[in-house]
Amino acid sequence: MPAARLAIVTGKGGVGKTTVAASLARAAAQEGRRVLVVEIATPGRMASVLGVDSLAAEPVEVHPNLHAVALDEARALEQLVDGLLPLRFLSRQLLSSETFRIVAAAVPGILEIALLAQVVDWMHSTRFGGRGFDLVVLDAPASGHSVPLLSSPRTLSGLAAMGPLGETVKRISRCLTDPRRTMAFVVAIPEEWAVAEAIELMSSLRDDLDVPVARPVLNAAFPRRFSKTDEKLLDEAERSGTIDPELLVAGRYFLRRRKAAQKQAKALKKGTGLGAVELPFIFSPTMAWEDLDPVAEALRAGLAS
Ligand SMILES: Nc1ncnc2c1ncn2[C@@H]1O[C@H](COP(=O)(O)OP(=O)(O)OP(=O)(O)O)[C@@H](O)[C@H]1O
Ligand SMILES: [Mg+2]
């Protein structure tokens, strides 16, 4: 049973990581692949984006071909320690609610390793519906927390070079740096601050941590609606006063947002050396699961090219 592939979706807070992770999962599931979506930040928006009430601590099928799970820190740490200590009752004692935080604080990186160990375990698991998953999509925390998460194998490697923990750390490290298995997707929106952070994050992941990265993702980009001629017509209509002022404001706004998307796509390319995959802004007040289709489609097309 080959292990699933892992897609790690990260980027600055609020840029659409959860939306992009869900859309990636939707695109893959529609193609008939078996997908698991993992949410780390709980309680996050993933359940609502997937159109379900809540996520459980074990993978549950929420749509055809699509399982979802909320990764629980305490549970992940318990499983890790269970696998390391020969006697189960010892790990229970070690991880009682009072001591859990102490253990996590005492060994920097242990909590992150526990989370990643759980993800890698699901990548190999055939427990959910008989077959294994083809793709595991990780809705990772915002940049500031993703770097410590993904660098935890390095943080711990000095401390735990040997023994079962060392083996786990090595296994995770091999997976995260293998381009046949892992790909990180760094998300930005067409704003300078988000793009600057994405460029820095791509460099940290690729150059410092050896994590393979996909083309940067420019989310919520306004599409091109107006041609140069349309722009001129708008100017003329404004001069002659033959346009509804509200329509004029809307038209100008649309043009401005489109230009920002173009400018930031260029900046991403200059900063990372990779052309951005542009994902459309979704004009939906409710943002239902089906509304992700244009984003899923753009991801499919962008990643294939
Ligand atoms: N392509 C898009 N078009 C329109 N709105 C979007 C798009 N992508 C995301 N949004 C909206 O932006 C907001 C933030 O999206 P999301 O929760 O996916 O971001 P996030 O990066 O996961 O945030 P956090 O850092 O809090 O986890 C939500 O209201 C979402 O509906
Ligand atoms: Mg999120």
Side-chain angles (χ1 to χ4, degrees):
M1 184 76 222
R5 301 189 54 159
L6 174 64
I8 302 168
V9 181
T10 178
K12 203 167 170 61
V15 295
K17 296 177 295 297
T18 300
T19 308
V20 171
S23 304
L24 195 60
R26 184 173 171 91
Q30 280 172 343
E31 284 175 352
R33 286 195 276 161
R34 272 174 57 82
V35 185
L36 171 67
V37 174
V38 181
E39 175 169 64
I40 287 196
T42 42
R45 287 187 61 251
M46 185 54 89
S48 100
V49 175
L50 294 172
V52 295
D53 289 340
S54 59
L55 300 182
E58 281 278 286
V60 171
E61 187 162 22
V62 291
H63 294 291
N65 292 332
L66 181 56
H67 281 65
V69 65
L71 189 40
D72 182 73
E73 284 185 347
R75 205 179 142 111
L77 191 57
E78 189 178 297
Q79 285 214 354
L80 180 76
V81 176
D82 262 356
L84 300 177
L85 292 181
L87 298 172
R88 248 180 123 77
F89 78 90
L90 270 183
S91 68
R92 288 282 170 286
Q93 257 175 6
L94 190 62
L95 295 173
S96 67
S97 53
E98 307 89 70
T99 46
F100 163 73
R101 293 283 150 200
I102 300 173
V103 172
V107 190
I110 192 80
L111 195 53
E112 288 81 3
I113 281 294
L115 294 173
L116 293 173
Q118 177 66 89
V119 172
V120 172
D121 188 41
W122 282 324
M123 285 173 74
H124 290 85
S125 177
T126 52
R127 279 180 293 143
F128 309 98
R131 261 175 64 207
F133 297 110
D134 302 312
L135 176 71
V136 173
V137 180
L138 180 63
D139 180 13
S143 338
H145 289 108
S146 266
V147 172
L149 176 73
L150 299 173
S151 55
S152 58
R154 290 200 178 184
T155 315
L156 264 184
S157 63
L159 196 72
M162 288 174 301
L165 181 57
E167 281 311 311
T168 303
V169 169
K170 275 187 211 140
R171 190 159 149 250
I172 294 170
S173 179
R174 277 197 299 270
C175 175
L176 289 183
T177 54
D178 180 355
R180 284 163 308 173
R181 280 189 283 173
T182 297
M183 187 69 83
F185 294 81
V186 175
V187 183
I189 50 172
E191 302 275 354
E192 235 156 74
W193 53 265
V195 166
E197 173 120 353
I199 293 170
E200 199 177 307
L201 180 58
M202 290 257 298
S203 154
S204 301
L205 296 181
R206 185 167 54 176
D207 307 330
D208 304 341
L209 301 179
D210 284 333
V211 174
V213 292
R215 291 162 58 190
V217 175
L218 188 63
N219 181 38
F222 269 44
R224 181 167 190 264
R225 281 266 168 87
F226 300 121
S227 65
K228 284 276 170 219
T229 319
D230 294 333
E231 253 185 86
K232 278 194 195 120
L233 286 174
L234 201 65
D235 291 342
E236 276 167 29
E238 184 177 12
R239 270 195 300 274
S240 59
T242 52
I243 184 170
D244 177 337
E246 278 186 24
L247 277 182
L248 180 67
V249 170
R252 290 258 178 259
Y253 178 72
F254 212 98
L255 274 169
R256 214 170 38 247
R257 295 290 297 263
R258 177 63 204 149
K259 286 196 173 136
Q262 284 173 305
K263 182 176 169 197
Q264 298 309 329
K266 266 195 202 140
L268 271 174
K269 179 155 192 195
K270 186 159 177 259
T272 64
L274 296 169
V277 176
E278 261 187 51
L279 305 182
F281 192 95
I282 305 169
F283 298 95
S284 156
T286 48
M287 214 36 129
W289 172 231
E290 296 74 28
D291 294 335
L292 298 186
D293 255 347
V295 179
E297 186 47 49
L299 271 169
R300 218 185 334 250
L303 297 175
S305 64

